[in-house]
Amino acid sequence: EVQLVDSGGGLVQPGGSLRLSCAASGFNFSSYGMNWVRQAPGKGLEWVSYISSSSSSIYYSDSVKGRFTISRDNANTSLYLQMNSLRDEDTAVYYCTRESTGGAFDYWGQGTLVTVSS
Amino acid sequence: DIQMTQSPSSLSASVGDRVTITCQASQDISNYLNWYQQKPGRAPKLLIYDASNLETGVPSRFSGSGSGTDFTFTISSLQPEDIATYHCQQYDNLPFTFGPGTKVDVK
């Protein structure tokens, strides 16, 4: 059974940092691209970042470029999102998602809440 | 960036009704369009990929159609468990973008 378990969220002050983790199991993690998608309270879904299976291709939304860093550890089947210089508008539930060969997000983690507030 | 719009933003229908949601892209995205269902407090779930393909295990009352800029998502016979918000998403171009969502309620 495919499982993605998100962790690492919490309350952080503006300008602070957090590192999110996503533990993957039940599939060949090293064969799939992975993404982070976030959802601010009461709002829609926003794509944040993508990393290819071998980490050779990485992309970010303009809203996080230069502040967030996506990475993965295929040996430990884990995905990460290092978030620096956090802003109030980064407050959201963050989901890791698996990207199917067709480009859809076919599996999602349960989400981890990041709250940026003083 | 490709902008995605959805209509209506919310709807209320009776059990057994046919429900239709539309999604429009700001430019041609071919069939690179997915639909997700999100129940309150839960992560989204993929229902339809590539505009019209039903994800494995998803009930056949859900369907999708369209290409280019205009897409349609249909629930042929609304069930109580279909109460959720439905999101469309394009993956033709980065950044991947989602529609604002359509909240479906049962009367």
Side-chain angles (χ1 to χ4, degrees):
Chain A
E1 179 196 5
V2 172
Q3 273 203 311
L4 299 172
V5 179
D6 302 318
S7 63
L11 175 63
V12 62
Q13 291 189 337
S17 299
L18 272 180
R19 189 193 196 207
L20 305 185
S21 299
C22 170
S25 61
F27 66 103
N28 187 3
F29 182 73
S30 62
S31 294
Y32 288 85
M34 300 292 293
N35 294 266
W36 288 98
V37 174
R38 68 184 180 183
Q39 186 171 36
K43 302 296 185 183
L45 299 165
E46 180 190 11
W47 171 79
V48 173
S49 184
Y50 163 83
I51 185 168
S52 64
S53 58
S54 63
S55 304
S56 58
S57 295
I58 287 176
Y59 302 102
Y60 299 98
S61 67
D62 285 347
S63 60
V64 308
K65 199 174 296 181
R67 300 186 298 122
F68 289 12
T69 302
I70 192 172
S71 62
R72 64 190 296 161
D73 181 343
N74 285 345
N76 289 305
T77 66
S78 293
L79 176 72
Y80 304 101
L81 186 67
Q82 177 66 44
M83 304 187 297
N84 298 331
S85 304
L86 283 161
R87 304 168 179 167
D88 291 350
E89 55 265 34
D90 296 318
T91 294
V93 174
Y94 285 74
Y95 298 100
C96 75
T97 74
R98 188 182 85 165
E99 189 164 317
S100 71
T101 52
F105 302 152
D106 60 351
Y107 286 93
W108 296 62
Q110 86 285 3
T112 186
L113 176 63
V114 172
T115 303
V116 184
S117 175
S118 53
Chain B
D1 297 2
I2 297 175
Q3 308 302 317
M4 306 299 293
T5 57
Q6 284 181 241
S7 62
S9 57
S10 66
L11 67 90
S12 186
S14 299
V15 172
D17 281 355
R18 183 180 185 88
V19 168
T20 299
I21 298 168
T22 62
C23 176
Q24 187 167 57
S26 60
Q27 65 187 67
D28 189 337
I29 58 169
S30 185
N31 68 330
Y32 299 131
L33 190 284
N34 304 314
W35 290 96
Y36 301 87
Q37 175 193 64
Q38 186 177 27
K39 296 184 177 181
R42 304 293 299 275
K45 174 187 174 183
L46 176 66
L47 298 183
I48 303 285
Y49 64 94
D50 294 346
S52 61
N53 295 298
L54 197 66
E55 176 71 348
T56 302
V58 173
S60 59
R61 65 180 180 274
F62 297 101
S63 64
S65 64
S67 67
T69 60
D70 295 300
F71 301 85
T72 300
F73 173 82
T74 300
I75 307 173
S76 61
S77 177
L78 187 68
Q79 300 301 305
E81 60 266 33
D82 300 335
I83 294 174
T85 298
Y86 293 86
H87 308 269
C88 62
Q89 174 243 334
Q90 68 80 22
Y91 67 99
D92 181 54
N93 274 343
L94 285 167
F96 303 134
T97 47
F98 292 85
T102 295
K103 189 173 182 180
V104 174
D105 212 343
V106 176
K107 283 181 186 172

